[in-house]
C-alpha cells in the first residue's frame, strides 16, 4: 500500500470515529450525564435538593438544550402530517421545547379511565424526520404520548425509523392503551378529529431520563469500606453451593469470602468475589458503590458453615456468621414467605421476630414489591439493611413485583443486586424468572413484568419433568382478589397449574391476606388433590379488608402485616400466617 493511500484511509477512519463520537454525545443520556456531573462539581447538596425548572434550564449549554429538545423521541413520516402531543395537565411546567419547536396548544382534550386529562399540542410537519424532546426536568410520571395524522384527508401515513426502536403503533380510539407498562389504563375520551390516527404509546417512567428537579436523593445507609449489608442467595444447587453478597464504597476494589465448617479448626477456604459498580446519579450522598458476589461451591450437604467477607487489600471484614446447606436427602424443612416488603423497617422487625419464634426456617421467599421504587438505590439499601438480620444466615429468593421493575424501565437494580439461578425462560432476562429445588419441593419463581408467553412455555417444560412431591409457584399479581384481576396471567399460567397440579401459589400486590379454597379452572375443586390453593399476603402495615369475603375465599383476614411460615414434612405441608406479636392469623395443612 502506498503512503498516500494509507494516509487517506487513516484520515477517513479518524473522520468515522469522530462522527460516531459526536453522535454518541447527541443522546439524552450523554447530555444528562454531563449535566449531572457538572451540577455535582458546582453546587452543594442543599442547592441540588433546591434546584427548580428555571435553574435547570439555565444550566444547559445551547448544544445540550438542542439535544434535549430533539433526541428524546423521533421517527420518519413519508407524507406531510400533523403531530399531536398529549400533555398531562397535572404537570406544573410544560416541557420547554414544545412552544419553541412550534407546537400550539389546542382546545382538544383526551382522558383515560383513571380520569387523567391531557391537553393536545399540535404541529404540522413535512415528510421527513419528526423530532420530539424530553418530558421535562421534573420526573413527572404520566409521560406525554403522541398520535400522527395526515395533513391531507384520506392520505396514508407510513411511520418508520423509530427512536427508541421498540415502538408500538396503535390506533387512536376509545379503549386504546397509551402506556405499555399499564396496558389496562385505556382512553375513555378521544376528540373526533383524532380518531383513527396512528397512536404511539410509551412507558410512564421515561420522564426519569432527564429528571433533575426534585430528583436528587440521599440514602440513610451510605456505603463504607465495611461490607454491609451482607446477605445470602442461591444461584445453583441448594445442597452444595451458596451465594454471599455484600456492598462497599468504591474505595474497596477487591473482595473474598472466607468459610469453613462451623466449629472446625481448619483454615478458612476462600472464594474470590466478582464485583460491579452501581451508579445512581441522583443519589447525592453516595452516588456510586461496589456490589460483590462470592459463589461458594463443592460444599457438603446438610452442613453448617461459618463465614466472613471483606477486602484483603484493606483488611476490612464483616463479623463472622453462618449458613446451612440443604440436606442431601429430602427431609423436614420450613421457609418464610413475605410479600410487598416495600423497604419497610416494620417488615424487617416482623420477619426477625417470626424467625426467632421459628428458628428452624431454612430460607425466605418474597413474592414481589421488595421496594417502593426499583431504580432508586436507597430503597435497596433500606430493604437489605432491614432484612440483613435474617438474610445473612437464611438465603432470600425473590420474585419481581411492579415496584421492583419501575414504570416500564425494567428491574435492572434488582437483577444486579440478587445473584439468582439463570435457568429461566428464553426471551426474558436471565434471573428474572427461575426455578430452584429444596428438599422434596420445587419452586417456580415467575416475573409478572416480563413477557408472559415465554414463561408459559418454560413453565410447561419444567412442570412436565419435575419429580418434586410439592410444586410451589411464586409471583406478584394474584389471580383471586377483591381488587384487580389478571385474566391474561390466569389464562397463560393457571391452566398449567391445573394440568400439572401445582399445590400452592404465593402472591402479593393486593395489601391484604387472603386464601382460596382449592381452585381449578376458576372454580372451587372438590379437594386439594384436585385443585391449587392460592394465597395472597402482605408484610407491611395495611388498611382494612377491601370488601366482603368472596365465595372462593376460605380465609379472608384482610389488612395487616404478615410473615408466613410454611413447613414441609414429607407428604404434609402446613401453613401459618403470623402477625408481629406471634398471633397466628391463618393456618391450614395440605397432605398427599
Amino acid at each position: 500500500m502506498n503512503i498516500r493511500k494509507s494516509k487517506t484511509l487513516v484520515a477517513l477512519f479518524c473522520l468515522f470515529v469522530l462522527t460516531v463520537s459526536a453522535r454518541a454525545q447527541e443522546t439524552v443520556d450523554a447530555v444528562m450525564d454531563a449535566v449531572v456531573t457538572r451540577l455535582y462539581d458546582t453546587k452543594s447538596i442543599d442547592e441540588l435538593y433546591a434546584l427548580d425548572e428555571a435553574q435547570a434550564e439555565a444550566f444547559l449549554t445551547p448544544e445540550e438544550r438542542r439535544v434535549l429538545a430533539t433526541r428524546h423521541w423521533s421517527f420518519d413520516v413519508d407524507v406531510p402530517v400533523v403531530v399531536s402531543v398529549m400533555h398531562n395537565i397535572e404537570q406544573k411546567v410544560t416541557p420547554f421545547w414544545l412552544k419553541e419547536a412550534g407546537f400550539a396548544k389546542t382546545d382538544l382534550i383526551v382522558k383515560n379511565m383513571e380520569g387523567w386529562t391531557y391537553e393536545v399540542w399540535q404541529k404540522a410537519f413535512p415528510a421527513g424526520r419528526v423530532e420530539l424532546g424530553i418530558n421535562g426536568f421534573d420526573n413527572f410520571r404520566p409521560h406525554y404520548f403522541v398520535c400522527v395524522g395526515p395533513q391531507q384527508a384520506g392520505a396514508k401515513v407510513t411511520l418508520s425509523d423509530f427512536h427508541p426502536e421498540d415502538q408500538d403503533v396503535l390506533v387512536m380510539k376509545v379503549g386504546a392503551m397509551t402506556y405499555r407498562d399499564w396496558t389496562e389504563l385505556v382512553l375513555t375520551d378521544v376528540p373526533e378529529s383524532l380518531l383513527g390516527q396512528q397512536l404511539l404509546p410509551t412507558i410512564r417512567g421515561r420522564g426519569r431520563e432527564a429528571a433533575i428537579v426534585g430528583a436528587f436523593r440521599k440514602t440513610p445507609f451510605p456505603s463504607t469500606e465495611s461490607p454491609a449489608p451482607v446477605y445470602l442467595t442461591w444461584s445453583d444447587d441448594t445442597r452444595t453451593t451458596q451465594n454471599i453478597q455484600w456492598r462497599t464504597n468504591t474505595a474497596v476494589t477487591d473482595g473474598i469470602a472466607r468459610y469453613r465448617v462451623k466449629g472446625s479448626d481448619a483454615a478458612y477456604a476462600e472464594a474470590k468475589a466478582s464485583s460491579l459498580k452501581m451508579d445512581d446519579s441522583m443519589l447525592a450522598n453516595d452516588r456510586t458503590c461496589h456490589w460483590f458476589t462470592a459463589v461458594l461451591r463443592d460444599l457438603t450437604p446438610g452442613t453448617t458453615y461459618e463465614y466472613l467477607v471483606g477486602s484483603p487489600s484493606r483488611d476490612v471484614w464483616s463479623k463472622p456468621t453462618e449458613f446451612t446447606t440443604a440436606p442431601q436427602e429430602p427431609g423436614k424443612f420450613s421457609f418464610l414467605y413475605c410479600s410487598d416488603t416495600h423497604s419497610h423497617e416494620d417488615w424487617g422487625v416482623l420477619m426477625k421476630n417470626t424467625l426467632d419464634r421459628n428458628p428452624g426456617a431454612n430460607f425466605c421467599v418474597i413474592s414481589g414489591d421488595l421496594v417502593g421504587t426499583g431504580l432508586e438505590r436507597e430503597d435497596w439499601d433500606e430493604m437489605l439493611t432491614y432484612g440483613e438480620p435474617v438474610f445473612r444466615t437464611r438465603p432470600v429468593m425473590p420474585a419481581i413485583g411492579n415496584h421492583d421493575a419501575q414504570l416500564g424501565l425494567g428491574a435492572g437494580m434488582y437483577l444486579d443486586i440478587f445473584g439468582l439461578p439463570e435457568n429461566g425462560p428464553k426471551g426474558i432476562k436471565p434471573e428474572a424468572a427461575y426455578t430452584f429445588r429444596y428438599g422434596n419441593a420445587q419452586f417456580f419463581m415467575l416475573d409478572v413484568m416480563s413477557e408472559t408467553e415465554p414463561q408459559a412455555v418454560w413453565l410447561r417444560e419444567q412442570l412436565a419433568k419435575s419429580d418434586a412431591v410439592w410444586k410451589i409457584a411464586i409471583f406478584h399479581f394474584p389471580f383471586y382478589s377483591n381488587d384487580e384481576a389478571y385474566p391474561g396471567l390466569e389464562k397463560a399460567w393457571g391452566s398449567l397449574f391445573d394440568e400439572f397440579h401445582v399445590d400452592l401459589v404465593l402472591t402479593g400486590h393486593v395489601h391484604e391476606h387472603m386464601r382460596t379454597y382449592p381452585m381449578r379452572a376458576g372454580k372451587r375443586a372438590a379437594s386439594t388433590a384436585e385443585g391449587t390453593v392460592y394465597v395472597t399476603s402482605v408484610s407491611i402495615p395495611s388498611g382494612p379488608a377491601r370488601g366482603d369475603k368472596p365465595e372462593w375465599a376460605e380465609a379472608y383476614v384482610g389488612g395487616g402485616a404478615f410473615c408466613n411460615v410454611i413447613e414441609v414434612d414429607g407428604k404434609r405441608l402446613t401453613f401459618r400466617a403470623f402477625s408481629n406479636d406471634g398471633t397466628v392469623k391463618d393456618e391450614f395443612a395440605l397432605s398427599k
Side-chain angles (χ1 to χ4, degrees):
M1 181 182 294
N2 63 51
I3 294 177
R4 179 176 296 176
K5 187 174 182 180
S6 177
K7 287 182 176 179
T8 301
L9 289 174
V10 169
L12 288 172
F13 176 75
C14 291
L15 179 61
F16 170 77
V17 171
L18 288 171
T19 301
V20 171
S21 177
R23 287 176 180 171
Q25 295 302 314
E26 287 207 346
T27 67
V28 172
D29 283 347
V31 165
M32 293 311 302
D33 185 68
V35 167
V36 169
T37 299
R38 208 161 67 244
L39 283 168
Y40 277 124
D41 289 341
T42 58
K43 294 186 180 294
S44 69
I45 288 182
D46 287 341
E47 288 174 326
L48 294 176
Y49 293 148
L51 192 73
D52 61 25
E53 292 271 354
Q55 291 171 330
E57 194 175 336
F59 197 75
L60 303 175
T61 67
E63 178 62 15
E64 289 168 342
R65 187 183 181 91
R66 181 188 67 80
V67 172
L68 297 183
T70 59
R71 294 293 186 265
H72 180 67
W73 201 349
S74 57
F75 50 91
D76 285 345
V77 295
D78 63 339
V79 297
V81 298
V82 173
V83 174
S84 299
V85 170
M86 271 58 71
H87 168 256
N88 192 295
I89 64 171
E90 296 298 321
Q91 188 176 26
K92 295 178 181 178
V93 179
T94 303
F96 72 87
W97 56 272
L98 265 176
K99 285 185 179 180
E100 294 178 3
F103 280 83
K105 182 180 175 182
T106 71
D107 294 329
L108 302 177
I109 292 294
V110 173
K111 294 184 179 181
N112 65 26
M113 63 184 295
E114 286 289 309
W116 297 354
T117 301
Y118 297 82
E119 58 193 16
V120 181
W121 293 66
Q122 292 185 328
K123 178 184 175 180
F125 284 84
R129 194 72 176 161
V130 174
E131 297 179 323
L132 307 174
I134 62 172
N135 197 59
F137 296 109
D138 57 354
N139 197 20
F140 185 75
R141 290 183 174 180
H143 194 284
Y144 72 82
F145 57 97
V146 175
C147 69
V148 182
Q151 292 184 23
Q152 182 177 350
K156 181 181 178 181
V157 179
T158 300
L159 309 179
S160 60
D161 196 16
F162 290 102
H163 171 77
E165 294 180 355
D166 58 340
Q167 180 65 61
D168 296 317
V169 180
L170 308 177
V171 177
M172 188 69 169
K173 62 181 181 179
V174 172
M177 77 167 191
T178 53
Y179 298 112
R180 287 180 293 157
D181 60 299
W182 192 353
T183 56
E184 299 88 355
L185 183 66
V186 298
L187 298 177
T188 56
D189 295 86
V190 178
E192 185 176 352
S193 61
L194 302 182
L195 289 172
Q197 294 192 8
Q198 297 188 67
L199 169 64
L200 306 183
T202 185
I203 56 177
R204 288 174 296 156
R206 280 206 71 197
R208 182 186 174 91
E209 190 171 324
I212 53 176
V213 172
F216 287 95
R217 312 178 317 276
K218 63 174 65 175
T219 174
F221 302 110
S223 59
T224 68
E225 287 190 337
S226 297
V230 178
Y231 57 102
L232 306 174
T233 64
W234 285 302
S235 59
D236 209 329
D237 194 326
T238 60
R239 300 168 297 180
T240 60
T241 70
Q242 183 65 72
N243 286 20
I244 309 174
Q245 302 185 250
W246 66 95
R247 184 202 62 166
T248 71
N249 63 21
T250 53
V252 179
T253 58
D254 62 329
I256 65 169
R258 291 177 173 168
Y259 61 100
R260 65 186 178 187
V261 174
K262 184 179 179 180
S264 170
D265 293 330
Y268 280 104
E270 293 186 349
K272 186 177 180 180
S274 62
S275 68
L276 64 85
K277 183 178 181 180
M278 184 174 290
D279 182 8
D280 183 343
S281 62
M282 296 291 104
L283 201 57
N285 68 331
D286 194 32
R287 175 175 176 174
T288 58
C289 69
H290 281 161
W291 231 281
F292 291 88
T293 301
V295 182
L296 283 51
R297 299 188 181 278
D298 299 319
L299 304 175
T300 303
T303 302
T304 299
Y305 288 82
E306 54 190 19
Y307 76 92
L308 66 163
V309 299
S311 165
S313 66
R314 305 188 79 85
D315 196 26
V316 179
W317 302 93
S318 66
K319 293 180 179 179
T321 187
E322 63 186 54
F323 65 84
T324 301
T325 54
Q328 178 66 39
E329 299 300 327
K332 181 179 178 180
F333 72 93
S334 64
F335 62 96
L336 307 179
Y337 150 50
C338 300
S339 190
D340 295 74
T341 59
H342 286 285
S343 310
H344 206 291
E345 186 174 9
D346 288 354
W347 152 72
V349 173
L350 166 67
M351 184 172 60
K352 180 60 167 62
N353 289 343
T354 304
L355 180 63
D356 288 344
R357 297 186 184 102
N358 300 270
N362 300 93
F363 59 95
C364 177
V365 299
I366 303 179
S367 61
D369 279 5
L370 285 71
V371 296
T373 309
L375 292 182
E376 295 183 357
R377 204 202 80 208
E378 72 272 21
D379 274 29
W380 294 107
D381 294 344
E382 293 178 74
M383 185 267 171
L384 290 168
T385 298
Y386 299 143
E388 185 183 28
V390 172
F391 298 156
R392 66 187 172 211
T393 61
R394 299 335 192 256
V396 55
M397 300 297 280
I400 295 172
N402 54 294
H403 281 264
D404 308 319
Q406 186 184 33
L407 299 170
L409 296 175
M413 278 194 178
Y414 169 103
L415 295 173
D416 285 341
I417 284 170
F418 294 106
L420 301 168
E422 296 187 13
N423 56 13
K426 295 178 180 179
I428 70 171
K429 290 187 176 181
E431 302 177 278
Y434 59 94
T435 184
F436 72 98
R437 182 80 173 252
Y438 195 102
N440 65 355
Q442 186 166 356
F443 297 80
F444 303 90
M445 315 296 287
L446 302 173
D447 176 15
V448 297
M449 303 307 292
S450 291
E451 291 293 327
T452 303
E453 188 54 36
Q455 295 182 76
V457 172
W458 170 83
L459 186 59
R460 171 176 288 279
E461 295 171 352
Q462 295 297 319
L463 288 170
K465 67 182 182 182
S466 177
D467 62 355
V469 174
W470 298 98
K471 300 178 181 69
I472 301 172
I474 300 171
F475 53 92
H476 189 57
F477 294 149
F479 292 175
Y480 299 94
S481 82
N482 264 348
D483 195 4
E484 299 177 67
Y486 296 91
L489 289 181
E490 185 174 2
K491 180 180 179 181
W493 298 345
S495 59
L496 297 174
F497 300 158
D498 293 341
E499 181 179 351
F500 295 98
H501 191 224
V502 169
D503 301 283
L504 186 62
V505 172
L506 307 176
T507 60
H509 189 57
V510 178
H511 284 213
E512 59 191 15
H513 182 95
M514 180 281 303
R515 170 171 54 91
T516 71
Y517 291 104
M519 304 297 290
R520 184 178 181 85
K523 298 180 180 179
R524 182 175 174 179
S527 69
T528 57
E530 300 173 53
T532 300
V533 175
Y534 294 80
V535 179
T536 296
S537 197
V538 63
S539 299
I540 61 172
S542 304
R546 302 186 179 208
D548 296 331
K549 179 181 175 182
E551 61 180 12
W552 37 258
E554 185 168 13
Y556 188 37
V557 180
F562 306 97
C563 183
N564 307 283
V565 178
I566 301 173
E567 183 178 276
V568 177
D569 187 0
K571 293 188 176 183
R572 182 174 173 82
L573 180 151
T574 59
F575 179 109
R576 292 174 294 163
F578 288 95
S579 59
N580 192 45
D581 63 4
T583 303
V584 176
K585 295 291 189 177
D586 179 30
E587 60 183 319
F588 67 96
L590 304 176
S591 296
K592 295 285 187 178

